[in-house]
Amino acid sequence: MHSWAASPADRRLSALIRHLEGSSNSMDSDTITASPTSGFSGSRNSVFEHVVRAPEDPILGVTVAYNKDTSPLKLNLGVGAYRTEEGKPLVLNVVRRAEQMLVNNSSRVKEYLPIVGLADFNKLSAKLILGADSPAIQENRVTTVQCLSGTGSLRVGGEFLARHYHQRTIYIPQPTWGNHPKVFTLAGLSVKTFRYYDPVTRGLDFQGLLEDLGSAPSGEIVLLHACAHNPTGVDPTPQQWEQIRQLMRSKALLPFFDSAYQGFASGNLDADAHSVRLFVADGGECLVAQSYAKNMGLYGERVGALSIVCKSADVASRVESQLKLVIRPMYSNPPIHGASIVATILKDRNMYQEWTIELKAMADRIINMRQQLFDALRSRGTPGDWSHIIKQIGMFTFTGLNSEQVAFMRKEYHIYMTSDGRISMAGLSSRTVPHLADAIHAAVTRLV
Ligand code: PLA
């Protein structure tokens, strides 16, 4: 056995792989040993013969299945990707304009960025999430590093905590974005859950949340969705956030915010940053992972940021020095294009203004789709209370449809969504609402 095979990271990886395989097929990976092929040319077997096919990703795999469907009726409500009323992906006008400016600027080069990314982008990203007047920024006690979108920011933050924080467990809401447990496990943390959603009320299980965080050991890390909780669309009220803050601070629980939808929930960037700012205003420490995938429509550019708010400028600069040691062996330094687009927009008053208008239009269209779907189900007399469709916040509706109903809708109506019954409202349009409402109506009346 190689020495690396016994490292803690490797053991965690093996445990995770066993866990993932266990949930999708019955093969016991312990019985699969590497086939002892000789490796010389002429051998009939691949040296990878023993490799077991992995299941598709529960979210991105929906798109894979959708792409294979040849029906003209097909509708992808799986991944959270914004579509126009015409069902097309959208590149914001302000993004096009910024890209044009970047292309026209012949003094721009393609040198490596520093390990922490583009300085302007980092400063502006911290300002966007913490607020222009944030004392933490003025006191220089925030370190911000450019990362590979929201996922990369979570991963870098998780790995930093696994190396340097005195606790190794992160509490994530039940349910949460399906990638969270994998990201944090592979970063080197143990993952536990806290109660979040009550399927009966289709609302927040606030009592359960307070009990679970209340009984977590002091100092543990807690992952919080800054707004527009994925997949439930259920957020705490401002008063509930304040109670959560008091509880967490009283127990020295460390908040790690995932902000993947700033501006997408309410259409207002400041309102959607409320929870984060509440925790920063008390002078305490926290981490924030930001993504520009949704709010600037920069999905494939992979642009995001990790900010760590510290107690002092001195601590922040030492933390940053260690973040560089996490990043350098992982991907060396981040890509330049997406961050340059974001920095161009955030630093120009007019472009920033234009962005907020386009962002609001996207958020409003999603809210409008909620109303249309709700009305369509009501007019069909579909059994059940569907008011959660208009109450939930953000990109997704957590419909309450079960996995059989989801499978039925895929088979009979060519409508694709994740098996937990989550639908991306951003993938819907006035043209496709009736088709979805028909499908939901048929699913709930035929399969209870
Ligand atoms: N955090 C949450 C809560 C998310 O929902 C997502 C994306 C991310 C982080 C990561 O986004 P990024 O790395 O692209 O910035 N969730 C999507 C896509 C939209 C996905 O699963 O990757 C989703 O459909 O849930």
Side-chain angles (χ1 to χ4, degrees):
M1 188 181 262
H2 300 289
S3 58
W4 57 261
S7 75
D10 203 59
R11 279 201 304 276
R12 275 191 305 272
L13 182 60
S14 309
L16 181 68
I17 289 168
R18 274 200 303 278
H19 169 74
L20 294 174
E21 282 173 352
S23 63
S24 61
N25 68 39
S26 58
M27 285 184 99
D28 179 359
S29 58
D30 286 337
T31 64
I32 303 164
T33 47
S35 50
T37 48
S38 54
F40 59 74
S41 62
S43 164
R44 282 177 53 228
N45 286 338
S46 165
V47 293
F48 304 118
E49 207 59 51
H50 60 287
V51 172
V52 176
R53 182 174 308 281
E56 288 285 359
D57 181 80
I59 297 175
L60 301 183
V62 174
T63 304
V64 175
Y66 167 84
N67 287 338
K68 288 186 191 149
D69 190 328
T70 53
S71 166
L73 289 175
K74 69 176 180 175
L75 183 57
N76 187 3
L77 305 177
V79 67
Y82 185 82
R83 295 285 178 269
T84 62
E85 261 295 294
E86 292 71 44
K88 298 274 184 309
L90 178 69
V91 180
L92 301 185
N93 283 328
V94 71
V95 166
R96 292 259 191 239
R97 209 144 72 78
E99 283 189 307
Q100 207 54 60
M101 286 165 66
L102 294 171
V103 168
N104 292 346
N105 181 350
S106 54
S107 68
R108 282 177 50 81
V109 291
K110 303 283 188 191
E111 290 290 281
Y112 290 129
L113 285 179
I115 296 172
V116 296
L118 197 64
D120 270 357
F121 167 85
N122 289 336
K123 261 195 232 113
L124 293 159
S125 293
K127 216 170 108 181
L128 183 68
I129 188 72
L130 303 182
D133 52 357
S134 168
I137 296 177
Q138 280 152 20
E139 291 155 16
N140 264 329
R141 49 188 183 82
V142 185
T143 165
T144 304
V145 294
Q146 179 193 334
C147 295
L148 304 184
S149 212
T151 309
S153 308
L154 293 166
R155 176 64 192 262
V156 168
E159 207 151 315
F160 168 79
L161 291 171
R163 287 193 203 178
H164 299 285
Y165 187 58
H166 65 94
Q167 294 284 16
R168 294 279 183 285
T169 301
I170 185 162
Y171 282 70
I172 60 175
Q174 174 62 36
T176 190
W177 179 47
N179 215 16
H180 278 150
K182 304 172 198 176
V183 166
F184 292 123
T185 304
L186 288 172
L189 297 170
S190 308
V191 173
K192 287 193 178 153
T193 59
F194 64 89
R195 277 172 286 169
Y196 187 84
Y197 177 76
D198 181 350
V200 177
T201 62
R202 296 208 171 111
L204 187 67
D205 180 359
F206 191 50
Q207 206 47 45
L209 178 151
L210 293 178
E211 279 170 28
D212 288 352
L213 295 186
S215 54
S218 156
E220 301 280 36
I221 311 154
V222 179
L223 189 279
L224 298 165
H225 295 227
C227 70
H229 182 274
N230 176 10
T232 67
V234 173
D235 284 352
T237 63
Q239 293 74 22
Q240 288 170 331
W241 272 121
E242 173 54 19
Q243 269 178 273
I244 296 170
R245 188 195 66 78
Q246 285 176 15
L247 172 69
M248 285 183 57
R249 291 309 194 197
S250 74
K251 300 200 57 186
L253 298 172
L254 180 66
F256 191 161
F257 282 99
D258 182 355
S259 176
Y261 299 96
Q262 189 185 357
F264 237 79
S266 67
N268 182 303
L269 286 156
D270 293 315
D272 288 356
H274 169 79
S275 60
V276 178
R277 293 179 191 178
L278 191 68
F279 277 77
V280 176
D282 67 14
E285 301 181 299
C286 69
L287 291 83
V288 192
Q290 279 170 276
S291 166
Y292 290 96
K294 273 69 72 171
N295 59 13
M296 262 192 212
L298 293 174
Y299 307 88
E301 296 292 355
R302 312 308 296 144
V303 50
L306 171 74
S307 287
I308 306 189
V309 180
C310 304
K311 282 275 182 189
S312 70
D314 180 45
V315 173
S317 85
R318 282 183 279 130
V319 165
E320 180 163 312
S321 73
Q322 289 293 340
L323 287 172
K324 287 158 77 171
L325 297 193
V326 173
I327 292 167
R328 172 66 167 148
M330 204 190 285
Y331 53 87
S332 192
N333 49 72
I336 197 167
H337 187 67
S340 304
I341 297 171
V342 173
T344 303
I345 294 170
L346 294 185
K347 76 175 148 206
D348 180 285
R349 186 189 283 269
N350 289 330
M351 293 180 95
Y352 184 93
Q353 195 57 30
E354 190 180 335
W355 173 45
T356 60
I357 293 166
E358 289 192 78
L359 178 57
K360 174 94 168 60
M362 290 193 286
D364 284 350
R365 199 186 83 72
I366 295 171
I367 293 167
N368 184 255
M369 284 304 110
R370 292 187 179 282
Q371 191 63 48
Q372 287 194 26
L373 180 60
F374 175 71
D375 293 344
L377 290 171
R378 229 180 16 185
S379 72
R380 280 163 180 74
T382 307
D385 172 9
W386 296 94
S387 61
H388 56 289
I389 296 178
I390 41 182
K391 282 188 211 138
Q392 292 174 355
I393 295 161
M395 204 161 202
F396 303 106
T397 291
F398 205 45
T399 58
L401 294 166
N402 62 37
S403 57
E404 290 93 74
Q405 291 167 329
V406 169
F408 167 85
M409 288 169 59
R410 182 187 285 205
K411 185 156 174 284
E412 302 296 329
Y413 288 83
H414 304 273
I415 294 174
Y416 290 75
M417 64 181 91
T418 51
S419 61
D420 58 3
R422 184 193 86 167
I423 60 179
S424 171
M425 298 308 285
L428 212 53
S429 68
S430 309
R431 189 176 52 81
T432 51
V433 162
H435 181 53
L436 176 61
D438 287 345
I440 293 177
H441 186 85
V444 299
T445 47
R446 290 192 213 169
L447 303 162
V448 182

